[in-house]
Amino acid sequence: MNKLTVAVIFGGQSSEHEVSRVSASSIISNLDPEKYYVIPVGITKSGKWMIYNGPVENIKNGEWEKFGTPAILSPDASQKGLLKIVGGKVKLIPIDLAFPVLHGKYGEDGTIQGLFELAQIPYVGNGVLSSSVSMDKAFTKIIAKSAKIPQAKYVEVRTDGLKRIKTTAAKIERKLGYPCFVKPANAGSSVGITKAHNRDELIEGLKLAAVHDSKIVVEKAIVGREIECAVLGNGSNIQASCVGEILAAAEFYDYDAKYNNSESKTVVPADISPEKQDEIRNMAIKVFKAVDGNGLARIDFFVEKDTENVIFNELNTLPGFTPISMYSMLWAACGKPIGELLDELIDLALERFGVK
């Protein structure tokens, strides 16, 4: 069997650069060397592309940058590969498939997916449209509303509205009340999110969110359990995993609670009735289809405390593959270990692009 040449692309210019490196380390370590020839391709925080050949541990700790060789992905569809630059000379390194592991901006917002499309290189995961509308929380909400998927009440704010921030805050108060969550429309891993309990906290939350994006989503807080479900597949053939629960150490599952607080826990599978699990799994598939998803996603929900209603929270089209990431844990609990999961994701990418 001929090995597939897979470029695993990691790092990037987003606020989730470090998390991307941890995910990429896990993926590279679990790709079967009998099936794949893996080319790690790192992007620095300043946007420089380099091919890295060395111990995977150096990807995780950031040392890889010292040993990388400059390279760029050719947008020329007749080339289909990486242009490695050594001593002023350019050498084409052909690739069969790209596996983007770039969390956040430029990685899961449709940007790099557009480059793959231009180069006609098959790639793992969601396409340009599904990536971009899922990354933008405001557009995700518009799609969810159109698809009649239950979600929290929300207000969309543009940063020019912050010139009259007290007036804007008063409008949000009238519509949503407190507590409420203030989120940049385009950011991942709970970066720039705050929970506001009063006017002062709301104003500070709006200012913080504006640092990360020009568009802000403010949501009414839902009191309930935080539940996550993983999906896998293309087109109409979508599978949903069992469901897991987040038990956040902080007041909500922000970046610090997720990655730096050992008191945060994930429970897989969640202690929840089979009927409610089925409802969540069906809704996860409905959300994924609504955004025209392909490959993979993790869908987050609340199960409301008093009503037991399932409420859609958000959609992550490029979930983490770190040791604490829910996506791979959920599939492992379904009897699909990470190596098998990666094989399936690659097969789905090849199938989608008509290579298999």
Side-chain angles (χ1 to χ4, degrees), residues 159 162 165 182-185 187 190-195 200-216 252 254:
T159 48
L162 302 190
I165 198 163
V182 187
K183 304 178 177 181
S190 306
V191 172
I193 296 178
T194 53
K195 186 175 183 180
D200 288 343
E201 289 181 3
L202 175 57
I203 288 172
E204 287 307 307
L206 289 167
K207 289 177 180 176
L208 175 63
V211 171
H212 296 276
D213 195 26
S214 61
K215 192 162 54 172
I216 300 163
F252 68 98
D254 62 1

Side-chain angles (χ1 to χ4, degrees), residues 292-355:
D292 196 24
N294 279 289
L296 75 165
R298 193 198 70 239
I299 324 282
D300 302 347
F301 299 94
F302 295 109
V303 176
E304 201 169 24
K305 185 179 178 182
D306 295 330
T307 65
E308 288 286 297
N309 288 337
V310 177
I311 298 170
F312 167 59
N313 180 23
E314 60 185 39
L315 166 67
N316 188 319
T317 55
L318 214 164
F321 279 84
T322 75
I324 62 164
S325 294
M326 188 71 98
Y327 187 81
S328 53
M329 282 198 289
L330 285 168
W331 284 117
C334 297
K336 200 186 295 284
I338 187 168
E340 189 179 317
L341 177 62
L342 295 173
D343 285 347
E344 194 160 341
L345 286 168
I346 288 170
D347 285 346
L348 285 167
L350 297 175
E351 172 194 285
R352 180 169 163 241
F353 287 91
V355 182

Side-chain angles (χ1 to χ4, degrees), residues 3-20:
K3 289 187 186 181
L4 275 178
T5 300
V6 179
V8 176
I9 304 173
F10 64 88
Q13 300 177 69
S14 84
S15 55
E16 297 174 77
H17 176 98
E18 289 79 10
V19 180
S20 166

Side-chain angles (χ1 to χ4, degrees), residues 239-308:
Q239 308 170 54
S241 70
C242 60
V243 304
E245 182 170 10
I246 299 294
L247 301 174
E251 188 172 5
F252 68 98
Y253 203 44
D254 62 1
Y255 185 94
D256 191 61
K258 188 178 294 185
Y259 296 111
N260 300 324
N261 194 327
S262 61
E263 295 301 309
S264 290
K265 299 280 191 301
T266 52
V267 180
V268 180
D271 182 14
I272 198 164
S273 73
E275 295 78 17
K276 190 59 64 176
Q277 282 213 44
D278 285 344
E279 183 182 349
I280 292 163
R281 293 169 73 245
N282 289 334
M283 197 181 292
I285 292 170
K286 186 177 181 181
V287 171
F288 193 58
K289 287 181 176 179
V291 299
D292 196 24
N294 279 289
L296 75 165
R298 193 198 70 239
I299 324 282
D300 302 347
F301 299 94
F302 295 109
V303 176
E304 201 169 24
K305 185 179 178 182
D306 295 330
T307 65
E308 288 286 297

Side-chain angles (χ1 to χ4, degrees), residues 162-180:
L162 302 190
K163 294 171 187 172
R164 303 171 299 281
I165 198 163
K166 289 184 179 177
T167 305
T168 300
K171 287 179 182 175
I172 293 167
E173 280 177 343
R174 286 195 296 274
K175 182 160 184 183
L176 304 180
Y178 294 108
C180 59

Side-chain angles (χ1 to χ4, degrees), residues 48 69-72 83-92:
K48 183 177 181 179
T69 304
I72 55 173
L83 300 176
K84 187 176 180 180
I85 305 160
V86 183
K89 294 183 178 179
V90 177
K91 180 184 179 184
L92 177 69

